């Protein structure tokens, strides 16, 4: 019989973590830091930093530095700015069954908590806290999506996972952790994801408020504030029956090769395959038909006016892959939005709401692409799900290449290489070496 979630969170040890879970946490650490590095250069991240500085200065709880920026704030302030920073570039790890993202809240929140701690953490201790944050977040997300009419952002369910892990980091007992989770659930952002899909702005996936909501919940619970029960933890037994024996973090974590909504990824993979297989150039492409599931068709984005609209688009990222052959750092620049070749093809993308693909897009994201050329030829691909899911995983070298693609231009190769070395085995680091990794991730990159 599985333990209650709060006992699981209080009692979990590093020895309880299977190697497969440890490997996921290492990958996610490296992947998230690469995204944070490039995201720290965005307007969205910089606005979030200024907002956090205005509202959340250092307090008696101790100071915590903002991820990839370095300004000392309260743990909640650093979690807020860090969450918004990671969320500014939509390339962080994902969980398709939850239709969202865990690491974009869990990492900035728990790194802020670690930085504020009076006692330096070892890598093993931090890995165990991460495991709690991820596992509780994913299960809460599944429960929430099964019991709520609206599709909520990741911030809604990561607030509970962060609260649980943060309370553990504060050495709370199981009953106090239970109250922290309830506070995080009650006060967390129940933001509706499709609102941002239909009207893309900087609110993004809600983690910029989910992360600090969880941190604040933990501190409140430690001091006696009550909030139990968290209904998604205590009133949804099917999602908790195998807690501690099966690991949603291992089964459901996926990685994104492209910095845009995962719903666009199978179409991007497909056009990349068709263009390469048939030796096509973008000048030959007359139009593109994309059959996909219903919600993805709301990612139209034929002429995005901002990076936010690019991130929540499908037509424009697909056109970018056709024209540029990649969607990397250079494609995140504002000049990409006015590229006439990309705009021509984006305008010629037709999104087709396919009932069958909608029915089967449960825990997976399906699309089928056909390219049409000016000379009348058509090239149809098989239906696809995104590369990076567990059935089509990115290799270690692909994760590394992505990290360096994002991090090297911002941090410099030497600092990026040291982060990679330490992340690749972070759970074996001494307190001294883990503090070094935090320093590398929590200080500002050189600015030109």
């Amino acid at each position: 019989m599985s333990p209650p979630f709060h006992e699981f969170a209080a009692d979990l040890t590093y020895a309880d973590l299977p190697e497969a879970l440890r490997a996921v946490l290492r990958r996610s650490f490296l992947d998230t830091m690469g995204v944070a590095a490039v995201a720290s250069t965005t307007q969205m991240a910089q606005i979030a930093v200024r907002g956090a500085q205005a509202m959340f200065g250092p307090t008696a709880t101790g100071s915590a530095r903002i991820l990839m920026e370095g300004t000392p704030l309260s743990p909640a302030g650093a979690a807020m700015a860090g969450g918004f920073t990671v969320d500014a570039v939509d390339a962080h790890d994902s969980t398709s069954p939850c239709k969202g993202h865990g690491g974009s809240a869990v990492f900035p929140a728990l790194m802020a908590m670690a930085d504020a701690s009076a006692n330096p953490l070892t890598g093993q201790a931090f890995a165990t806290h991460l495991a709690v944050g991820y596992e509780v977040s994913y299960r809460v997300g599944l429960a929430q999506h099964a019991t709520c009419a609206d599709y909520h952002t990741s911030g809604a369910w990561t607030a509970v996972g962060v609260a649980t892990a943060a309370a553990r980091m504060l050495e709370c007992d199981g009953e106090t952790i239970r109250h922290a989770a309830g506070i995080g659930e009650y006060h967390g952002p129940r933001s509706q994801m499709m609102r941002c899909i239909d009207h893309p702005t900087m609110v993004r996936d809600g983690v910029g408020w989910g992360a600090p909501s969880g941190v604040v919940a933990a501190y409140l619970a430690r001091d006696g504030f009550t909030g139990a029960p968290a209904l998604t933890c205590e009133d949804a037994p099917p999602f908790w029956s195998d807690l501690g024996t099966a690991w949603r973090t291992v089964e459901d974590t996926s990685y994104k090769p492209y910095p845009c909504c995962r719903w666009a990824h199978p179409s991007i993979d497909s056009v990349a395959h068709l263009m390469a297989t048939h030796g096509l150039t973008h000048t030959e492409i007359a139009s593109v038909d994309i059959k996909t599931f219903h919600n993805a068709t709301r990612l139209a984005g034929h002429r995005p006016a901002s990076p936010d609209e690019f991130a929540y688009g499908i037509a424009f990222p697909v056109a970018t892959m056709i024209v540029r052959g990649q969607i990397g750092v250079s494609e995140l620049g504002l000049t990409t939005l006015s590229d006439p070749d990309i705009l021509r093809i984006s305008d010629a993308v037709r999104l087709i709401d396919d009932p069958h693909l909608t029915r089967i897009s449960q825990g997976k994201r399906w699309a089928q692409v056909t390219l049409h050329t000016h000379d009348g030829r058509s090239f149809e691909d098989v239906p696809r799900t995104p590369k990076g899911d567990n059935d089509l995983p990115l290799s270690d070298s692909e994760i590394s290449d992505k990290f360096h693609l994002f991090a090297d231009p911002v941090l410099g190769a030497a600092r990026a290489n040291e982060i990679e070395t330490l992340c690749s085995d972070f759970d074996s680091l001494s307190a001294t070496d883990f503090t070094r990794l935090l320093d590398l991730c929590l200080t500002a990159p050189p600015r030109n």
Side-chain angles (χ1 to χ4, degrees):
M1 183 175 179
S2 297
F5 83 97
H6 53 282
E7 293 181 8
F8 164 84
D11 298 340
L12 189 70
T13 69
Y14 180 76
D16 296 325
L17 311 184
E19 176 55 30
L21 176 60
R22 298 174 187 176
V24 169
L25 297 177
R26 295 176 199 129
R27 285 186 130 212
S28 286
F29 207 144
L30 181 67
D31 191 66
T32 306
M33 293 308 102
V35 175
V38 68
S40 72
T41 68
T42 64
Q43 183 186 34
M44 176 176 161
Q46 291 158 9
I47 292 172
V49 167
R50 293 196 297 270
Q53 288 173 319
M55 296 180 288
F56 295 109
T59 67
T61 60
S63 65
R65 292 165 291 176
I66 299 173
L67 184 62
M68 294 293 171
E69 200 279 334
T71 298
L73 299 175
S74 69
M80 172 190 159
F84 276 123
T85 293
V86 178
D87 211 18
V89 171
D90 197 353
H92 31 78
D93 66 13
S94 304
T95 163
S96 289
C98 290
K99 299 179 287 187
H101 312 273
S104 54
V106 171
F107 271 102
L110 299 194
M111 291 174 79
M113 295 289 293
D115 201 38
S117 175
N119 300 311
L121 271 67
T122 65
Q124 284 193 3
F126 191 72
T128 312
H129 301 321
L130 278 179
V132 169
Y134 265 93
E135 195 66 18
V136 171
S137 290
Y138 280 13
R139 290 172 184 269
V140 169
L142 291 169
Q144 188 183 87
H145 287 148
T147 56
C148 296
D150 284 330
Y151 164 28
H152 289 88
T153 66
S154 302
W157 41 271
T158 54
V160 185
V162 167
T164 304
R168 174 194 163 92
M169 293 182 77
L170 293 175
E171 300 182 344
C172 296
D173 61 22
E175 186 62 17
T176 305
I177 291 173
R178 179 172 174 254
H179 283 287
I183 299 164
E185 181 189 75
Y186 194 90
H187 289 148
R190 285 298 183 102
S191 37
Q192 295 144 322
M193 189 70 241
M194 293 312 297
R195 172 180 164 183
C196 190
I197 299 298
D198 292 336
H199 306 285
T201 60
M202 293 180 183
V203 295
R204 295 290 182 103
D205 202 33
V207 297
W209 211 247
S213 293
V215 169
V216 171
Y219 280 101
L220 287 172
R222 185 190 65 175
D223 289 342
F225 198 101
T226 59
L231 298 182
T232 50
C233 298
E234 301 189 41
D235 197 26
F239 303 101
W240 300 91
S241 61
D242 57 358
L243 180 65
T245 57
W247 296 89
R248 299 276 79 79
T249 309
V250 175
E251 295 178 19
D252 298 341
T253 300
S254 57
Y255 298 93
K256 301 174 73 171
Y258 317 117
C260 59
C261 181
R262 192 155 190 81
W263 298 354
H265 282 218
S267 300
I268 297 169
D269 289 336
S270 193
V271 297
H273 169 75
L274 290 172
M275 296 291 290
T277 299
H278 300 287
L280 300 170
T281 64
H282 69 85
T283 57
E284 297 177 85
I285 304 302
S287 63
V288 183
D289 287 339
I290 299 176
K291 294 180 181 179
T292 189
F293 59 98
H294 170 72
N295 281 347
T297 65
R298 292 164 69 172
L299 289 171
H302 289 80
R303 286 183 170 258
S306 68
D308 307 295
E309 293 183 6
F310 179 101
Y312 289 113
I314 183 169
F316 195 86
V318 162
T320 301
M321 176 57 76
I322 289 172
V323 173
R324 301 279 185 91
Q326 66 172 27
I327 307 177
V329 174
S330 60
E331 283 67 45
L332 296 175
L334 291 175
T335 56
T336 302
L337 302 180
S338 59
D339 185 310
D341 294 321
I342 297 175
L343 287 168
R344 177 187 71 80
I345 293 177
S346 183
D347 286 341
V349 172
R350 185 167 68 116
L351 299 177
I352 302 167
D353 189 333
D354 186 277
H356 172 66
L357 296 183
T358 298
R359 281 195 300 273
I360 65 174
S361 289
Q362 304 299 320
K364 301 292 290 181
R365 306 292 170 253
W366 287 89
Q368 182 176 28
V369 174
T370 303
L371 299 181
H372 304 285
T373 62
H374 290 292
D375 61 6
R377 293 175 295 162
S378 294
F379 300 93
E380 181 178 280
D381 197 14
V382 298
R384 288 179 178 267
T385 57
K387 187 175 182 181
D389 284 355
N390 277 347
D391 57 345
L392 293 169
L394 298 184
S395 66
D396 288 343
S397 63
E398 287 174 314
I399 293 286
S400 175
D401 290 346
K402 174 189 168 185
F403 168 76
H404 287 288
L405 177 69
F406 287 165
D408 287 12
V410 179
L411 304 179
R415 181 169 164 186
N417 285 337
E418 188 175 0
I419 290 174
E420 181 177 28
T421 297
L422 293 174
C423 281
S424 67
D425 204 21
F426 84 90
D427 50 317
S428 70
L429 298 179
S430 67
T432 298
D433 290 338
F434 187 72
T435 297
R436 172 61 180 167
L437 177 56
L438 286 179
D439 289 341
L440 290 167
C441 298
L442 300 178
T443 53
R447 303 297 188 197
N448 294 329

